[in-house]
Amino acid sequence: MKTLLIPADQLSEAAAVIRRGGLVVFPTETVYGLGASAFNPVACVRIFTAKGRPSDNPLIVHIASWEQLDQVAVNIPAEARKLAETFWPGPLSLVLPKHPDLPEIVTSGLPTVAVRWPSNVEAQKFLLESGVPVAAPSANVSGAPSPTNFEMAKSAMLGRVEAILQGDDAEVGLESTIVSFANGEVKVLRPGSITLEQIAQTLGLDPNDLPYQVPQEGRPISPGLKYTHYKPAAEVQLFREPGELKNWFDKDVKVGLMVLEGSVPEDLPSTWEVLKFSDWDDYARYLYASFHELDQLCCGLILAQLPAASGIGLAIANRLQKSAGTV
Ligand code: TXA
Ligand code: MG
């Protein structure tokens, strides 16, 4: 398939592709999404094919107005409304009772739908011009890291979609926080840059009453959680303290290192590729792009520094542990 590459100032063309039932990769503040009209079931089926995604893993629906929220969800719980009013537009997806008119393919037959109103300006313009809610998973081939810049989006999706809309690099770099409200209980299904602490504070809850737990094998709360995710071609291993790095000094594969500035030992082997980050937000922003870069540099092993599991660190640790296969 020929893929149109559309500059940001011509995004009306990308919106027209959505209205015609095509697939469009578009930028958001979290990661690039692979979108189709949420009310076109034939187009939505093609999302699963383009990604190689199992059909029991539902899609997030992207909106750009409160009217569109009412087109896709019903009976919105008060806590959900409070979070939406506080954090939308932004990197937060809310799992809500599904509108009966929304095609089943979008939610993989679940009675709920995950909804998000992105803050990225191009994403908002694209959604408004499309005139329909847009179902979109991350624009990676299933299992691989999500694209956080135009080059990665192209390398993942060229030839698989009708169009790729060019945007800036993603500001956040990790997928949205997902919150569900099933049985009157607020649960964080996927940690992200809107932190558990922020959600608890907004709802007047104690953060300890809002745990994010790695789901037990075989009993996924969110269908996507049971699949492998975020894996680069290289093997990923994790460390906390720079002192641990000497364990890998004699490795006979090319090593790529992802580490916070200021924690880099001076005696590293000269063959290592070293990517440094100024703080954990910077680390989150470039995590997937760094995986991509180290793969391109033919590293066989990526050593990635693991943060403490609070704030943005919880989301980074979640993605790193999945990419390393330790959860
Ligand atoms: O930041 C993001 O959320 C990005 C951008 C493009 O918006 N999208 C994204 O989509 O990460 P995806 O498909 O890669 O991840 C969606 C996750 C999956 O784990 C899926 O199982 C879960 O959301 N999900 C979708 N609908 C759900 C539902 N009704 N109940 C529980 N989990 C749901
Ligand atoms: Mg994904």
Side-chain angles (χ1 to χ4, degrees), residues 163-176:
I164 304 178
L165 176 59
Q166 180 161 15
D168 295 332
D169 294 1
E171 304 103 88
V172 174
L174 298 179
E175 302 82 354
S176 61

Side-chain angles (χ1 to χ4, degrees), residues 236-256:
V236 177
Q237 292 191 20
L238 309 177
F239 67 96
R240 279 188 195 279
E241 300 302 328
E244 297 166 42
L245 288 172
K246 55 180 166 312
N247 299 330
W248 288 283
F249 278 8
D250 297 329
K251 272 275 174 193
D252 53 5
V253 291
K254 186 164 177 189
V255 172

Side-chain angles (χ1 to χ4, degrees), residues 81-254:
R81 230 172 243 293
K82 180 102 204 221
L83 292 178
E85 280 161 9
T86 310
F87 297 109
W88 279 357
L92 176 69
S93 297
L94 301 173
V95 178
L96 305 170
K98 166 189 176 298
H99 193 292
D101 292 347
L102 188 69
E104 297 259 303
I105 177 83
V106 174
T107 61
S108 302
L110 291 176
T112 52
V113 58
V115 189
R116 175 164 117 74
W117 182 338
S119 60
N120 178 275
V121 172
E122 272 74 39
Q124 293 196 21
K125 286 188 193 156
F126 161 70
L127 291 167
L128 287 175
E129 290 219 20
S130 297
V132 280
V134 169
S138 49
N140 50 289
V141 170
S142 228
S146 306
T148 50
N149 59 49
F150 180 59
E151 285 308 315
M152 287 175 80
K154 261 196 324 198
S155 97
M157 287 294 147
L158 206 67
R160 294 171 185 256
V161 296
E162 275 78 14
I164 304 178
L165 176 59
Q166 180 161 15
D168 295 332
D169 294 1
E171 304 103 88
V172 174
L174 298 179
E175 302 82 354
S176 61
T177 308
I178 305 181
V179 181
S180 85
F181 308 89
N183 309 319
E185 207 187 340
V186 185
K187 275 209 181 100
V188 175
L189 303 187
R190 180 173 71 184
S193 69
I194 306 276
T195 63
L196 208 132
E197 293 85 350
Q198 285 176 293
I199 291 166
Q201 196 193 18
T202 306
L203 297 179
L205 299 173
D206 184 326
N208 296 318
D209 293 337
L210 187 65
Y212 168 71
Q213 286 168 346
V214 177
Q216 298 301 303
E217 192 60 39
R219 300 189 57 213
I221 323 170
S222 186
L225 298 173
K226 73 181 174 188
Y227 297 108
T228 58
H229 271 316
Y230 320 122
K231 278 191 195 290
E235 181 188 353
V236 177
Q237 292 191 20
L238 309 177
F239 67 96
R240 279 188 195 279
E241 300 302 328
E244 297 166 42
L245 288 172
K246 55 180 166 312
N247 299 330
W248 288 283
F249 278 8
D250 297 329
K251 272 275 174 193
D252 53 5
V253 291
K254 186 164 177 189

